[in-house]
Amino acid sequence: RPRRGAPPRRRDPALDPPARARDAERAKETTPSGQIQLALAIVDPVRDEAPRALLALQRLGLGLAILTGDRPEVVDGVLKDLERRGAGDVASVDVRATCKPADKLDYVRDAQRAGRVVLFVGDGINDAPALAASDVGAAMGAGGTAMAVDAADVAIMTDDLERLPDAVALGRNATRLIKQNVFLAVAIKLAVVVAAFYGEVPLYVAVLADLLSLLLVVGNGARPLFCAP
């Protein structure tokens, strides 16, 4: 409510549809041919690395979804651009346009209830709830908001989308190595225990078995240092 004696507030013409319509009519009247002479459009282009990143994620067997607040026709244009630039099977991507933050959060929770492990990637304030609720939240840290980075589990500070498939491959390789190391260590220990039940196991054999399991686990765990996952 305006204060007593204060000048009345002026409404922004940009927020007044009738005012915008009148401005458009005046623009037509002032042009020589009565037609619009200049049109400006602002476009957020697809990143150069985006098609390669999507293709790499598909090759890793991940199901992809695009959750955006943009209009459907904008998303269709982006998908056509990605397909033209070799982004793989774009038709299999689950696209949800005009999404609000609650819609993204509901999508993540529905996928989790269906038994899926969700990796959510975002950089805006609207992505923060979904980043926090997903199994792995990845924020594009270089160009993302502070709230998105705080809500995420991983921040990609280089702002390079191609780091996403690298991170997924590295995580899978680490999980595989952990399982292998546990299996090797437990299997050798059990073999020594079973041998002890059926006969006397010399002390040096038990020591060598323990040393062997240690060397195998350390060597297997060091493989990522010398070879790519």
Side-chain angles (χ1 to χ4, degrees):
R1 182 179 180 181
R3 292 176 298 176
R4 182 176 299 176
R9 295 180 180 178
R10 299 182 60 186
R11 181 175 178 82
D12 188 354
L15 302 178
D16 186 3
R20 293 203 304 268
R22 289 194 299 270
D23 291 341
E25 292 299 326
R26 293 195 190 100
K28 292 181 179 180
E29 293 174 358
T30 55
T31 56
S33 61
Q35 298 179 352
I36 297 177
Q37 302 295 314
L38 176 65
L40 298 178
I42 300 176
V43 180
D44 189 9
V46 176
R47 298 187 185 189
D48 293 336
E49 75 275 11
R52 297 190 297 271
L54 291 179
L55 182 60
L57 290 171
Q58 288 180 342
R59 287 176 175 173
L60 289 172
L62 273 67
L64 302 180
I66 296 178
L67 311 179
T68 178
D70 289 329
R71 293 174 290 113
E73 52 268 28
V74 175
V75 183
D76 290 341
V78 171
L79 291 176
K80 291 179 181 178
D81 189 15
L82 289 172
E83 186 176 13
R84 179 179 57 84
R85 295 164 60 179
D89 186 13
V90 178
S92 65
V93 178
D94 187 7
V95 179
R96 305 294 176 91
T98 63
C99 286
K100 298 178 181 178
D103 298 327
K104 298 180 181 180
L105 179 59
D106 291 340
Y107 187 93
V108 170
R109 288 178 173 171
D110 291 341
Q112 290 173 331
R113 281 192 288 267
R116 300 176 182 174
V117 178
V118 180
L119 165 64
F120 189 90
V121 184
D123 59 1
I125 295 177
N126 293 339
D127 299 323
L131 285 168
S134 60
D135 297 285
V136 180
M140 306 306 293
T145 62
M147 184 176 294
V149 174
D150 290 340
D153 302 296
V154 180
I156 302 178
M157 301 310 297
T158 59
D159 214 12
D160 184 2
L161 291 174
E162 288 189 278
R163 300 299 298 272
L164 287 172
D166 292 341
V168 172
L170 183 62
R172 288 181 174 180
N173 189 45
T175 303
R176 183 168 56 252
L177 289 177
I178 291 172
K179 293 179 179 179
Q180 291 174 355
N181 287 341
V182 171
F183 174 80
L184 287 173
V186 173
I188 293 176
K189 299 292 184 182
L190 286 177
V192 174
V193 171
V194 171
F197 274 111
Y198 287 94
E200 184 178 353
V201 178
L203 179 61
Y204 73 91
V205 174
V207 173
L208 288 176
D210 184 70
L211 179 60
L212 177 62
S213 64
L214 174 63
L215 293 176
L216 286 175
V217 168
V218 172
N220 191 47
R223 281 195 302 144
L225 298 177
F226 307 101
C227 58

